Amino acid sequence: GGTIGLYAKDVMRFDNVSVQEPVSTAYVVLSTPIAYTTAASGNISATAQVANMPAGGSVEFLLDGGASTVVNTAPFTAQFAGAGAGNHTVEAVLRNAVNTEIDRDTNLLIGRTGEVVVGIGDSITDGIGDSFRSDNISALERVIGFQGYEAPLTDKLDATRVATPTIVINEGIGGDETFDAAFVRIDSILERHPDANRMLILLGTNDTFVPVDPGTGCSGSACDLTYKGNMQALVDKIIWADYPTNSVPSNIVPVIALGPPVFTGASPWTSAANDRIRAYHDVIQTEISGAQVGPDMFDYFMPNASTLRRSLFADNLHPNSLGYEVMAVLWHNALEPASPLALPFVLEDVTSSVATLPRQTLVENGDLIRQSGSVTVSNIPATLNGGRWVLTENDFSNTSADYLQFTVDRNVTVYIAYDAGATSRPNWMSTFVDTGLSVTTTDNNGPSLNLWSKTFSAGTVTLGGNAAAGASGSDSNYVAIIVEN
């Protein structure tokens, strides 16, 4: 009898798990180093576990198919000094008394002279609102998650650094405030990530609704339970290995982002919640010691009173899939300022003649193509890959001439997926060309949408309503997808 525990560093479930009776044959398992990991050190310590060791047997450890160490008695360990920057392969080979191979275990992509980055924060760090699954597994599979900026950021850092293998771990917890991170979470995070080099902190959204006092200008006990006091405690616990003595540096660098705005109220630019977030940002920039200031996400998503990139949010608080892609680039550029990446292409000034604000995002098979309801897309032509999907409600009876409007800063192709069952299209689509392709959905009123296209130069694009003059027989609202040329 007994219990088996399966653990992971991200939210997931395990399937296809088989528990078998112990076997009598001899086998070897590499217990360290773990595959798909990385560490700052250039040294590799290998450990193997052997079951049913044959008499006179041995374990040979191999590094990258070359350097070899043979161990004849337990514990079976080997040290490879100066493995060098990049990814390595470690093998443990079990041999019998006459040196015949009996079993072998191989662990791939063991990164050295790399960096372990940990994201600390609330549901935004966790990735709530991100429904795009295709970028949840990093290229080298060090990150296997289901939402958030962590996997895309891992890939972007790997591409920039080349020989510095990186893993970005998601430690976001929905609902957390600075107090939770500083006094409930951080000890566990530090214990579970002893190889961490950098911690990316993004906190403040939940604090502003409590509300937590910014603590501007406070000192000593007057800072207790303020944003400044909580954040400083969090930073101190990260940078000192012997907190609260604070004499032994941990060599972990905390980076604090200026978090995104909240789009609550009629005027987000002047809302009390965003004014409080601005006060938190002043504290981060001028009063927190021991941390680096990270990306300014507030300025990106709401740079001024008239530019509100609300269409990149899934709701009033959380970015959507495209919003998280932007966040990954903002984090990358803050961590690698000498090698900045271009920000993702987005539509500006996205508006509609109806009350529901359109949202632009990334869509793949199985995703919703309306802001509400249950209609999903089941087949997307490859030509739309990487496009910005403008999600609306099912306003199929809209007759306005300016149903959708947005601005682009480059040449684009606008695709309109229009009800294949319609007898005629609206006049404003008369200059669109039939691509011969279609988008399939689960909408019972219009499951197939024919794809029409038109090229636009940089500037403002206006699209009419689904039932505007000339239209007839359409029972499902069109979907606009914009692809940069």
Side-chain angles (χ1 to χ4, degrees):
T3 300
I4 296 173
L6 304 178
Y7 298 88
K9 291 181 178 178
D10 206 329
V11 180
M12 62 178 60
R13 64 185 180 188
F14 298 86
D15 59 8
N16 298 325
V17 176
S18 174
V19 180
Q20 301 175 334
E21 292 289 334
V23 297
S24 58
T25 55
Y27 63 91
V28 62
V29 175
L30 265 172
S31 51
T32 60
I34 300 173
Y36 303 98
T37 58
T38 191
S41 170
N43 302 324
I44 291 178
S45 298
T47 305
Q49 305 295 325
V50 178
N52 307 311
M53 169 65 87
S58 63
V59 174
E60 179 184 17
F61 293 92
L62 295 168
L63 175 65
D64 299 327
S68 170
T69 298
V70 178
V71 183
N72 296 299
T73 58
F76 300 101
T77 62
Q79 304 294 322
F80 296 101
N87 295 308
H88 300 276
T89 298
V90 174
E91 298 172 276
V93 183
L94 177 61
R95 302 185 185 278
N96 62 17
V98 294
N99 210 35
T100 300
E101 179 177 329
I102 296 174
D103 191 35
R104 179 185 297 245
D105 191 26
T106 302
N107 283 358
L108 305 171
L109 288 167
I110 299 160
R112 283 300 180 267
T113 317
E115 184 173 32
V116 177
V117 181
V118 180
I120 299 174
D122 52 29
S123 55
I124 298 176
T125 294
D126 184 28
I128 296 298
D130 179 7
S131 61
F132 193 68
R133 298 175 299 280
S134 296
D135 63 357
N136 291 334
I137 300 177
S138 63
L140 298 180
E141 298 189 14
R142 280 200 170 92
V143 177
I144 301 178
F146 75 109
Q147 61 187 22
Y149 69 78
E150 288 77 9
L153 177 56
T154 297
D155 284 340
K156 295 178 195 311
L157 290 172
D158 273 346
T160 300
R161 296 168 170 178
V162 183
T164 304
T166 306
I167 182 171
V168 184
I169 298 167
N170 189 338
E171 283 285 355
I173 300 292
D176 266 11
E177 303 163 20
T178 48
F179 178 88
D180 301 302
F183 299 104
V184 180
R185 310 285 184 206
I186 191 58
D187 291 343
S188 171
I189 292 172
L190 290 168
E191 184 176 356
R192 287 182 288 108
H193 304 293
D195 294 325
N197 308 98
R198 201 169 340 208
M199 296 198 170
L200 312 183
I201 303 170
L202 177 55
L203 290 160
T205 299
N206 294 306
D207 293 65
T208 194
F209 291 116
V210 173
V212 174
D213 186 275
T216 306
C218 72
S219 61
S221 60
C223 291
D224 292 351
L225 302 182
T226 67
Y227 186 88
K228 175 182 176 179
N230 296 339
M231 188 64 80
Q232 189 63 64
L234 175 61
V235 168
D236 289 345
K237 291 182 178 183
I238 291 171
I239 65 176
W240 298 109
D242 61 341
Y243 177 89
T245 303
N246 299 352
S247 62
V248 181
S250 67
N251 297 318
I252 302 174
V253 178
V255 184
I256 310 175
L258 308 182
V262 297
F263 290 105
T264 55
S267 301
W269 178 256
T270 58
S271 70
N274 281 323
D275 284 344
R276 196 171 297 112
I277 290 175
R278 291 185 182 96
Y280 295 160
H281 294 172
D282 288 341
V283 167
I284 292 170
Q285 292 173 298
T286 63
E287 300 194 37
I288 301 298
S289 61
Q292 295 179 2
V293 177
D296 189 342
M297 296 181 184
F298 192 101
D299 184 67
Y300 177 84
F301 288 109
M302 193 166 66
N304 53 60
S306 59
T307 306
L308 281 67
R309 294 191 172 109
R310 193 171 189 167
S311 64
L312 294 170
F313 273 50
D315 53 34
N316 290 334
L317 305 180
H318 304 94
N320 60 26
S321 304
L322 183 53
Y324 280 106
E325 175 65 19
V326 169
M327 284 180 58
V329 175
L330 291 173
W331 270 122
H332 171 276
N333 292 350
L335 301 180
E336 294 291 330
S339 305
L341 300 177
L343 285 164
F345 162 60
V346 300
L347 313 177
E348 301 288 1
D349 306 318
V350 182
T351 59
S352 174
S353 62
V354 299
T356 302
L357 173 75
R359 300 186 188 274
Q360 56 175 313
T361 189
L362 305 174
V363 172
E364 61 193 346
N365 285 335
D367 282 358
L368 295 172
I369 59 167
R370 306 279 183 232
Q371 289 197 36
S372 60
S374 58
V375 175
T376 61
V377 62
S378 50
N379 181 59
I380 300 174
T383 191
L384 300 182
N385 289 346
R388 280 36 179 159
W389 292 64
V390 180
L391 304 190
T392 64
E393 296 293 1
N394 192 17
D395 305 313
F396 69 94
S397 60
N398 187 279
T399 61
S400 64
D402 57 352
Y403 172 64
L404 287 179
Q405 193 171 80
F406 53 85
T407 301
V408 292
D409 63 356
R410 64 201 71 186
N411 294 341
V412 299
T413 298
V414 175
Y415 292 90
I416 300 296
Y418 198 83
D419 188 353
T423 53
S424 63
R425 295 172 291 113
N427 295 337
W428 62 265
M429 283 186 64
S430 62
T431 53
F432 281 71
V433 177
D434 187 356
T435 67
L437 303 171
S438 62
V439 173
T440 307
T441 76
T442 59
D443 188 348
N444 292 330
N445 293 322
S448 183
L449 307 175
N450 289 340
L451 202 60
W452 302 77
S453 70
K454 180 179 178 179
T455 299
F456 288 82
S457 300
T460 299
V461 177
T462 300
L463 305 175
N466 192 75
S472 177
S474 174
D475 298 318
S476 181
N477 198 23
Y478 70 83
V479 180
I481 307 99
I482 294 82
V483 178
E484 56 182 322
N485 294 338

